[in-house]
Amino acid sequence: MTESEFENLIEKMKNFRFIRTQETDETIHRLRSSTMQIGVNSLILFVIQGCNLRCSYCFATDGEYHDKGIMSLGTAKKAVTFLAKHSTSDTPSLSFFGGEPLLNFKLLKKLVPHIHKVEKKYNKQFSMGITTNGTLLDKEVKDFLIQNNIRCMISMDGNQQTQDANRRFANDSGSYDLVVEKTRDMRENNQLSCRATVTPISLDVSASFEHLTELNFTGVFFDAAKNVMSEKEYEEYGRQLVHLFEELKEMADAGEYELVKKSSNLMNFLRLIHRAGLRKSSCGAGQSVIAVDIHGDIYPCQRYVSEKDYCIGNVYTGWTNKDVRNNFLDAVNIENHTQCSNCWAKNLCMGDCAYENLMQTGSISQTSEAICKHKKEIFEAAIQLYLSLPEDFKESLN
């Protein structure tokens, strides 16, 4: 580097607060300590709390969240209006969730026309999506999703052995063959993404990624079922995810960018690295994101629906538990995570998922050592890959 290039680099690092000084520490603390801007732009709607599968790792007690039932049309309409009124975005996100949401397909058929009326009334355009296990997809359902531009994510864990071991029906039969058949046309038309849960029998995420991309899912997101993993198994999952990123780096070096883009985990990390903005929490839970259960009760996100102490309101009565919400937002703010204060990955990891922290350590603002180690390893791998990307690919991350 020339002297001028070096000085320019140092100046950029200062501007991005990458070089740590007392002044940058104080500035960052002041910005992170300011009041979070509240605007609900994403709603996860529990149209049913119940499921037709009995997945081995389900944290939601067979999709029931300790409270089995279906959502009424009245409550669903109230939730949609609540989102429209409280959203600061012109394109708020609405996700149909469960349990298995297609068990209440009759509600969706009545609700979606109402959503279009709400869009006109409030001058909004909802971005709709659904997460389903795929077993109930038929021509009527698929036509409905496509005609109403509802994005569809399938929960599928990997090859037949993995899927049938993890995701079984109540009669103990596997679901792989049925899901593959039910989703064939949508996969061939690039209309499905996939969420794969990693368990001790499927730690080889590279093999699962290869299988799921061969099935032509447009994107594959991996998430570990920490509730059924030992510490050693979770560490191995971390190593395997890093290994996948290393393989993806080789693909990127060979110009196979379309395949790289199918790794939703990696793309999420690359976007965080590229955008480089100062963050306050790991996600928008309780702030820009809420979940509404079958009764209309509001929670920070879908993971908390079983945790009644985290109810922050109801779509009929509004923000009735403001103290709960404010305390939650204070707890997830990275400035209140003392263990993160000197960590180089702080602004990327943000103390990890608050719910996972609660389950692992008993505190929203305390992350387990295993997760800390895992996060730093995968972010380091993601940074190495980012540095090797051509500029046009980086720009696409905007």
Side-chain angles (χ1 to χ4, degrees):
M1 302 175 85
T2 65
E3 184 176 352
S4 62
E5 288 174 333
F6 180 78
E7 289 175 349
N8 183 49
L9 175 61
I10 295 297
E11 190 62 31
K12 283 185 176 180
M13 292 169 74
K14 287 180 180 178
N15 292 339
F16 277 102
R17 306 185 187 92
F18 193 81
I19 296 178
R20 186 171 187 182
T21 66
Q22 182 177 347
E23 181 183 3
T24 57
D25 276 3
E26 290 173 352
T27 301
I28 289 172
H29 176 72
R30 184 177 69 254
L31 292 171
R32 284 209 176 108
S33 299
S34 61
T35 303
M36 286 191 178
Q37 296 298 312
I38 303 297
V40 179
N41 295 322
S42 181
L43 169 64
I44 302 160
L45 192 66
F46 278 74
V47 296
I48 187 170
Q49 287 172 220
C51 191
N52 59 337
L53 292 185
R54 298 294 179 265
C55 299
S56 61
Y57 47 75
C58 184
F59 68 90
T61 58
D62 300 332
E64 296 175 9
Y65 292 80
H66 303 294
D67 194 6
K68 186 177 182 179
I70 64 173
M71 178 174 280
S72 69
L73 180 60
T75 298
K77 288 181 176 180
K78 200 74 177 178
V80 171
T81 300
F82 188 91
L83 174 62
K85 285 183 175 179
H86 290 86
S87 174
T88 57
S89 170
D90 293 331
T91 56
S93 171
L94 176 60
S95 300
F96 303 116
F97 207 76
E100 173 46 54
L102 291 179
L103 288 171
N104 199 8
F105 180 55
K106 64 179 182 180
L107 171 65
L108 298 186
K109 289 192 291 183
K110 295 177 181 178
L111 180 61
V112 170
H114 174 76
I115 290 172
H116 295 318
K117 293 179 182 178
V118 173
E119 286 178 320
K120 292 179 181 179
K121 180 177 180 180
Y122 291 92
N123 196 26
K124 304 282 187 181
Q125 184 175 352
F126 287 97
S127 172
M128 293 184 285
I130 188 170
T131 301
T132 170
N133 60 36
T135 62
L136 300 175
L137 288 172
D138 58 23
K139 187 178 186 307
E140 181 187 9
V141 171
K142 288 184 276 193
D143 287 347
F144 177 83
L145 297 177
I146 294 167
Q147 289 166 7
N148 288 284
N149 197 28
I150 300 173
R151 300 180 319 279
C152 188
M153 175 178 280
I154 300 295
S155 297
M156 190 171 186
D157 293 348
N159 61 22
Q160 182 159 14
Q161 180 182 358
T162 298
Q163 176 80 359
D164 286 348
N166 286 342
R167 305 183 62 81
R168 307 181 69 81
F169 288 97
N171 64 6
D172 209 34
S173 61
S175 60
Y176 180 88
D177 287 339
L178 182 63
V179 174
V180 168
E181 181 58 33
K182 293 271 190 179
T183 61
R184 189 178 307 279
D185 52 348
M186 293 185 77
R187 286 186 287 106
E188 289 175 352
N189 292 321
N190 299 306
Q191 294 167 323
L192 292 179
S193 61
C194 171
R195 184 189 186 281
T197 301
V198 181
T199 63
I201 68 167
S202 58
L203 295 175
D204 188 350
V205 292
S206 293
S208 295
F209 180 76
E210 181 179 1
H211 183 81
L212 293 167
T213 52
E214 285 177 352
L215 288 176
N216 205 41
F217 285 107
T218 58
V220 179
F221 178 79
F222 291 106
D223 195 17
K226 302 182 186 73
N227 57 321
V228 297
M229 281 187 178
S230 68
E231 188 170 323
K232 286 186 178 180
E233 288 165 341
Y234 186 70
E235 287 180 358
E236 180 60 24
Y237 162 66
R239 285 190 288 269
Q240 292 294 331
L241 195 58
V242 169
H243 178 63
L244 172 61
F245 286 5
E246 291 170 346
E247 291 184 332
L248 291 169
K249 183 178 183 302
E250 293 178 3
M251 295 176 195
D253 291 342
E256 299 176 32
Y257 299 124
E258 290 308 310
L259 194 55
V260 173
K261 290 178 180 179
K262 287 195 173 188
S263 172
S264 300
N265 299 77
L266 178 61
M267 293 303 294
N268 288 343
F269 293 143
L270 291 178
R271 290 187 187 102
L272 286 176
I273 294 165
H274 182 73
R275 292 170 183 173
L278 189 67
R279 303 167 66 217
K280 293 185 179 182
S281 59
S282 62
C283 68
Q287 180 187 358
S288 61
V289 177
I290 59 170
V292 174
D293 75 359
I294 56 175
H295 307 294
D297 288 334
I298 303 170
Y299 293 87
C301 79
Q302 73 275 14
R303 301 295 297 273
Y304 289 89
V305 167
S306 293
E307 310 293 329
K308 302 304 179 185
D309 290 342
Y310 288 89
C311 177
I312 55 180
N314 186 281
V315 294
Y316 288 97
T317 56
W319 305 112
T320 50
N321 299 327
K322 289 184 179 180
D323 287 344
V324 174
R325 189 185 194 192
N326 291 336
N327 291 338
F328 177 84
L329 293 178
D330 284 341
V332 298
N333 190 320
I334 194 63
E335 285 298 286
N336 298 321
H337 293 217
T338 55
Q339 75 181 114
C340 303
S341 58
N342 294 311
C343 179
W344 66 265
K346 177 179 179 177
N347 197 53
L348 295 171
C349 169
M350 303 306 291
D352 199 48
C353 168
Y355 181 83
E356 288 295 345
N357 289 346
L358 184 65
M359 294 298 102
Q360 298 290 322
T361 68
S363 170
I364 287 174
S365 52
Q366 182 73 26
T367 309
S368 75
E369 290 184 11
I371 292 177
C372 281
K373 180 181 178 183
H374 166 76
K375 285 289 186 176
K376 284 184 278 192
E377 288 174 346
I378 59 176
F379 273 119
E380 185 170 350
I383 288 169
Q384 292 295 335
L385 194 152
Y386 177 83
L387 292 171
S388 70
L389 293 173
E391 289 304 314
D392 58 343
F393 188 101
K394 291 178 183 177
E395 288 304 312
S396 73
L397 298 170
N398 289 323

